Amino acid sequence: MATQQTLLIIGIFVLAGFDGCFSVIPEEEQNPNFWYVKGKEALHTSLSMKPNLHRAKNLILFLGDGMGISTVTAARIMKGQMEGKTGEESVLAMDTFPHLALSKTYNVDQQMPDSAATATAYLCGVKANYGTLGLSATARRKDCSSAKGNEVKSILHQAKMAGKSVGIVSTARVQHASPAASYSHTPERDWYSDKELPSEAITGGCKDIAYQLVHNTDINVILGGGRQYMFPKETVDPEYSTVTGSRQDKTNLVDVWLRSRNNAKYVWNKKDFDAINEDNTDYLMGLFEPKDTRYELERDPSMDPSLTEMVEKAIKILRKNSTGFYLFVEDKLISCLVSIA
Ligand SMILES: *[C@@H]1O[C@H](CO)[C@@H](O)[C@H](O)[C@H]1NC(C)=O
């Protein structure tokens, strides 16, 4: 009997698939009782939810950069349609989370916000000016002298101070605005390396974001793109012979990072990444592209790990800390139109 039912359901899906368009209104959705039952179920689930009063040990923050409500709606419909249904009735894993909230992450000085000041809002808890990172709104964009004394602390920094291991994983360059709000304080999100720093910022004592990645909060796991900002301009990229580092100060920041840490490893390709033994690695930096990594559809799986693989590796290293860990995960490459922000 069970087998017959299963076959019947598959049959309906195949028919809908052959139909080519989705003009067929699902039988059940025409019946008001279907919706009443669903409503009752939802109410029952909410009423029977027990508040979790335990104290969390670990925290993973996933950020979909450019993934607003309409992008999520499009994803839900597409998931359903790929299963041969009309789409809207589909349920994403995140739709089933017990708690959902919306939060405003606006910029203080203008209406269209950017990733730097919004990341400062959700990672440091302080709303900020457009284009600035890890600074309160007292600081002004590109004004080095306005930065000093206006630094705000990120959740990554606070987790580290609380004795946890910490990490960042991103499909963007790791010096990009969203991850950089975890560890840098700068009035200009585009100051990736000292090449981008104007001379008055250098004489004013401001440091580029790549420098701050290595010298500020001690981060256990750093995975993503952004190789070029770590190496001197004389250094040719190991993967692309036409690309060189961008640093003018002749500093190899990867070496600086490795030298001052125990059990630290640096990798730039999938083979070396796979060979990392989490048991004897306490620090891992993996930079797989000179700038941002590629879209998942364009990724060469023999050269670069996927976001999932990076997250798995990060957790295996970070979870060795008995006090717990904090991990920031960003997929920047979700919607190409919105990813400019
Ligand atoms: C856990 O993290 C803290 C803070 O970084 C560090 O001092 C401690 O050594 C770590 N413990 C382990 C077991 O890795």
Side-chain angles (χ1 to χ4, degrees):
M1 191 62 192
T3 314
Q4 274 170 12
Q5 276 173 355
T6 313
L7 279 177
L8 187 66
I9 293 165
I10 292 169
I12 295 166
F13 284 173
V14 170
L15 265 182
F18 275 129
D19 202 23
C21 69
F22 300 99
S23 56
V24 179
I25 302 169
E27 191 63 38
E28 58 195 14
E29 294 190 18
Q30 299 174 47
N31 179 355
N33 203 44
F34 168 78
W35 301 107
Y36 299 149
V37 169
K38 266 189 136 23
K40 260 191 206 152
E41 279 170 7
L43 271 178
H44 183 76
T45 306
S46 293
L47 289 171
S48 60
M49 221 167 73
K50 302 248 184 324
N52 182 345
L53 300 174
H54 299 290
R55 187 180 177 144
K57 179 178 165 189
N58 308 313
L59 172 62
I60 304 180
L61 179 61
F62 288 96
L63 170 75
D65 198 344
M67 198 166 75
I69 289 175
S70 14
T71 309
V72 173
T73 304
R76 185 185 303 116
I77 293 171
M78 184 166 177
K79 180 187 174 203
Q81 293 189 347
M82 285 168 76
E83 290 163 358
K85 296 182 260 183
T86 50
E88 282 81 352
E89 71 292 334
S90 183
V91 179
L92 295 170
M94 66 173 114
D95 295 336
T96 68
F97 289 179
H99 300 284
L100 177 73
L102 294 172
S103 128
K104 295 198 284 185
T105 58
Y106 64 88
N107 294 178
V108 168
D109 61 335
Q110 71 164 49
Q111 272 178 346
M112 206 277 291
D114 87 311
S115 295
T118 53
T120 303
Y122 64 77
L123 293 177
C124 307
V126 174
K127 305 259 192 306
N129 287 324
Y130 188 88
T132 64
L133 280 170
L135 298 172
S136 77
T138 308
R140 296 292 185 266
R141 189 169 189 192
K142 293 185 196 292
D143 180 354
C144 173
S145 67
S146 73
K148 208 164 171 43
N150 294 316
E151 296 85 358
V152 288
K153 293 190 179 87
S154 73
I155 186 168
L156 176 138
H157 182 78
Q158 294 180 51
K160 188 79 194 193
M161 292 302 111
K164 298 178 191 292
S165 286
V166 299
I168 53 175
V169 174
S170 178
T171 55
R173 59 200 90 175
V174 294
Q175 306 86 354
H176 205 261
S178 313
S182 304
Y183 61 83
S184 75
H185 309 280
T186 174
E188 175 49 59
R189 59 176 287 175
D190 292 339
W191 291 349
Y192 293 120
S193 77
D194 63 341
K195 182 186 173 200
E196 289 82 21
L197 270 184
S199 55
E200 67 270 20
I202 295 177
T203 51
C206 279
K207 298 292 185 193
D208 61 85
I209 297 171
Y211 178 97
Q212 296 193 42
L213 173 67
V214 167
H215 290 93
N216 290 1
T217 311
D218 175 47
I219 307 176
N220 299 80
V221 176
I222 300 168
L223 297 172
R227 236 168 16 223
Q228 118 174 28
Y229 309 109
M230 310 300 281
F231 294 96
K233 64 182 196 307
E234 294 77 16
T235 306
V236 176
D237 188 82
E239 191 173 352
Y240 309 101
S241 60
T242 54
V243 177
T244 66
S246 40
R247 303 203 65 79
Q248 317 286 301
D249 60 7
K250 300 198 184 301
T251 308
N252 177 331
L253 286 177
V254 170
D255 271 356
V256 171
W257 191 79
L258 288 172
R259 272 204 313 269
S260 50
R261 282 160 180 82
N262 294 324
N263 306 323
K265 303 244 168 54
Y266 168 73
V267 295
W268 62 270
N269 61 60
K270 177 71 160 45
K271 189 169 149 280
D272 294 348
F273 173 84
D274 287 343
I276 292 290
N277 177 354
E278 299 90 10
D279 294 336
N280 58 27
T281 306
D282 294 330
Y283 289 92
L284 176 62
M285 184 187 288
L287 303 177
F288 302 101
E289 291 289 341
K291 290 182 174 161
D292 299 336
T293 68
R294 300 185 201 182
Y295 278 93
E296 180 58 22
L297 285 173
E298 294 164 355
R299 182 175 61 89
D300 175 354
S302 71
M303 285 304 290
D304 302 330
S306 67
L307 183 63
T308 310
E309 289 164 336
M310 292 196 286
V311 170
E312 281 174 355
K313 185 73 85 180
I315 292 173
K316 284 180 185 159
I317 293 172
L318 297 173
R319 73 178 176 197
K320 294 190 296 175
N321 194 319
S322 54
T323 309
F325 68 83
Y326 164 78
L327 175 63
F328 172 78
V329 180
E330 175 193 34
D331 193 349
K332 173 186 185 282
L333 304 168
I334 289 171
S335 154
C336 78
L337 271 180
V338 196
S339 70
I340 316 165

